[in-house]
Amino acid sequence: MATEILVPTLGESVSSATVARWLKKAGEAVKADEPLVELETDKVTVEVNAPSAGVLEGIAVQEGAEVEPGAVLGHIAAGAGAAAAQAAASSPAPAAPAPGPAPIVAAPAPGNAAVPSPGNTTVPSPGNAAAKAPGTGGGSQADSTHAPLPAAAKLMAEANVTAAQVGPGSAKDGRIAKGDVLDFLSRPAAAPAAAATPKAARGLEAGEERVKMTRLRVTIARRLKEAQNTAAMLTTFNEVDMGAVMGLRAEYKDHFEKKHGVKLGFMSFFVKACVAALQEFPAVNAEIEGDELIYKQFVHMGIAVGGPNGLVVPVLKNAQELGFAEIEKRIADFGKRVRDGQLKLEEMAGGSFTITNGGIYGSLMSTPILNPPQSGILGMHKIQDRPMVVAGKVEVRPMMYLALSYDHRIVDGKEAVSFLVRVKEAIEDPRRLLLAV
């Protein structure tokens, strides 16, 4: 009996994925839990492992197709079925017909996401929806280059827009995905823009190379631009003397690592300082939904981490309950699993505030962009010795610039400046964190 290979749950804010790459071919033997196929979501690449040992009997969904959780990707044959599949794979195969739109086997999508990501939901469409989409011109070769995926074709038909209006898509070979259609429909004055003819790609010069953006990079670009277009974003700056924290860390780092099995870094101090400041100024930890404000009694702290495919933001849930050692352990674990591509999708959802550290790359000052729907993000920067006046004398001190970007629709300037001052005070006198003052 064949075992189905199913698309796993993709996380609370992700409802679809693209089949990026099959790691096995039909007819190949597989082991239980062996990686079979890679799925690319808006956030990370997910490996789907073999549910049992046997032979990959067939592939139901080709690379580039969009799938939902629960969709059948293929089948694994066991016993006699496996032997038959192996024999079939080794015999000459008839010439394959010309490729058409990749089939999609869809299952019901999960419930409402806590942090919606526009353009991720796949709606199954019966038949060859892509060939029936408006503006495809009856399936000519030129039009098939950007032929919509079935879910996109259905939405385009409902919205009465054409493939030419939406333009080249983000799916494989430039095919239009549902997210591309939703992104097009969400643009201001979409109707006038729809009449314009998409600009043709320019020819490349010697030494240039055109590379398709990954789905993660497309989503990062869209969400950052969305934050700029939606929020009344403003940034306030301050500087902090890192001498006290550096001295405390130097004094106790060996004891800390020996007892807790993890190195003592600066990030745990900033997490604790931000938690204290957010509890004093809850608007910086809140979000806007329609004409209402949502205040939170917890702090889900996002920590921006650079990965091989772009920036991701894993979340320290209930950071207000964590001590220094637990914060350092979780951040170290996040960093390792981001580099290995093992971070779980649910670990990147639900953040209420974010800290990003451009200083590890040498940044002296920057203005971080909000991570919607959050209302605040703290930017840390490079520690650099600078002459400072201390008690009437000039001293060389290890200084760091801090930047707080915030949504001025919900956070007033006084609150933002006061928040940043509280963070500065806690870092310059870490005893305040221990005494909660």
Side-chain angles (χ1 to χ4, degrees):
M1 181 177 179
T3 302
E4 292 181 333
I5 306 166
L6 303 177
V7 177
T9 301
L10 299 173
E12 63 176 347
S13 62
V14 182
S15 56
S16 69
T18 300
V19 178
R21 180 167 64 108
W22 277 96
L23 307 176
K24 291 286 186 177
K25 297 179 181 179
E28 285 189 321
V30 298
K31 301 176 182 178
D33 294 325
E34 183 178 10
L36 294 179
V37 58
E38 290 180 350
L39 304 180
E40 188 180 68
T41 74
D42 288 346
K43 297 182 177 180
V44 292
T45 297
V46 179
E47 285 186 348
V48 179
N49 297 335
S52 62
V55 169
L56 183 56
E57 186 178 40
I59 294 175
V61 183
Q62 302 299 319
E63 294 178 0
E66 196 170 350
V67 291
E68 292 181 349
V72 178
L73 295 167
H75 297 84
I76 295 177
Q86 184 69 57
S90 61
S91 61
I104 294 180
V105 182
N112 280 342
V115 186
S117 295
N120 292 334
T121 306
T122 302
V123 180
S125 176
N128 188 355
K132 300 176 183 178
T136 58
S140 67
Q141 183 176 354
D143 293 326
S144 65
T145 303
H146 305 306
L149 295 171
K154 181 178 180 181
L155 182 60
M156 290 167 61
E158 293 171 351
N160 194 28
V161 298
T162 68
Q165 292 171 333
V166 177
S170 61
K172 187 177 181 181
D173 298 326
R175 297 184 67 189
I176 297 173
K178 186 178 180 183
D180 302 317
V181 183
L182 290 173
D183 182 52
F184 170 78
L185 295 176
S186 67
R187 299 173 194 162
T197 302
K199 183 179 179 180
R202 68 174 180 83
L204 298 180
E205 299 179 14
E208 292 184 320
E209 178 185 7
R210 195 184 302 277
V211 178
K212 185 69 178 178
M213 291 174 69
T214 65
R215 184 166 176 168
L216 173 62
R217 179 56 58 185
V218 169
T219 300
I220 289 174
R222 183 175 67 242
R223 287 179 62 81
L224 292 180
K225 190 60 182 174
E226 173 191 340
Q228 288 184 319
N229 292 341
T230 302
M233 195 159 57
L234 191 63
T235 303
T236 184
F237 299 92
N238 212 318
E239 58 182 350
V240 57
D241 187 333
M242 294 292 293
V245 166
M246 293 173 71
L248 188 64
R249 178 173 177 264
E251 183 176 356
Y252 289 103
K253 65 178 182 179
D254 293 336
H255 298 288
F256 187 90
E257 185 173 2
K258 183 177 180 180
K259 180 175 181 178
H260 300 293
V262 65
K263 293 182 179 180
L264 177 61
F266 297 129
M267 187 61 78
S268 55
F269 288 93
F270 279 93
V271 170
K272 297 289 286 185
C274 286
V275 166
L278 290 170
Q279 291 173 331
E280 185 176 353
F281 302 100
V284 189
N285 194 47
E287 66 180 79
I288 294 178
E289 188 175 273
D291 59 355
E292 297 177 331
L293 304 180
I294 300 178
Y295 289 92
K296 307 175 194 301
Q297 303 301 317
F298 54 81
V299 177
H300 289 346
M301 186 70 71
I303 306 294
V305 180
N309 296 319
L311 191 72
V312 294
V313 187
V315 178
L316 290 171
K317 297 292 180 66
N318 294 308
Q320 76 280 1
E321 300 175 359
L322 303 179
F324 283 83
E326 187 61 28
I327 291 172
E328 292 292 355
K329 287 178 181 178
R330 295 194 186 184
I331 291 176
D333 179 60
F334 283 153
K336 180 180 183 301
R337 290 191 289 121
V338 165
R339 291 189 296 271
D340 296 341
Q342 300 298 317
L343 198 66
K344 297 179 181 178
L345 291 166
E346 57 267 24
E347 294 175 311
M348 294 183 286
S352 60
F353 184 83
T354 295
I355 299 177
T356 181
N357 184 7
I360 60 176
Y361 304 112
S363 172
L364 186 62
M365 182 179 289
S366 65
T367 56
I369 298 178
L370 290 173
N371 185 19
Q374 297 172 22
S375 295
I377 179 171
L378 179 75
M380 299 167 54
H381 297 92
K382 178 183 177 182
I383 301 173
Q384 183 166 294
D385 287 343
R386 292 203 298 275
M388 303 294 295
V389 177
V390 180
K393 297 180 180 180
V394 176
E395 297 183 11
V396 175
R397 304 297 301 170
M399 304 299 295
M400 175 193 288
Y401 287 118
L402 297 179
L404 175 72
S405 291
Y406 60 98
D407 190 342
H408 211 347
R409 296 177 302 169
I410 182 173
V411 181
D412 292 332
K414 179 182 178 180
E415 290 177 298
V417 172
S418 299
F419 171 91
L420 202 53
V421 169
R422 292 297 183 274
V423 172
K424 169 186 170 69
E425 292 173 344
I427 296 299
E428 292 186 338
D429 186 1
R431 296 173 298 178
R432 301 172 67 99
L433 299 176
L434 303 177
L435 299 175
V437 295

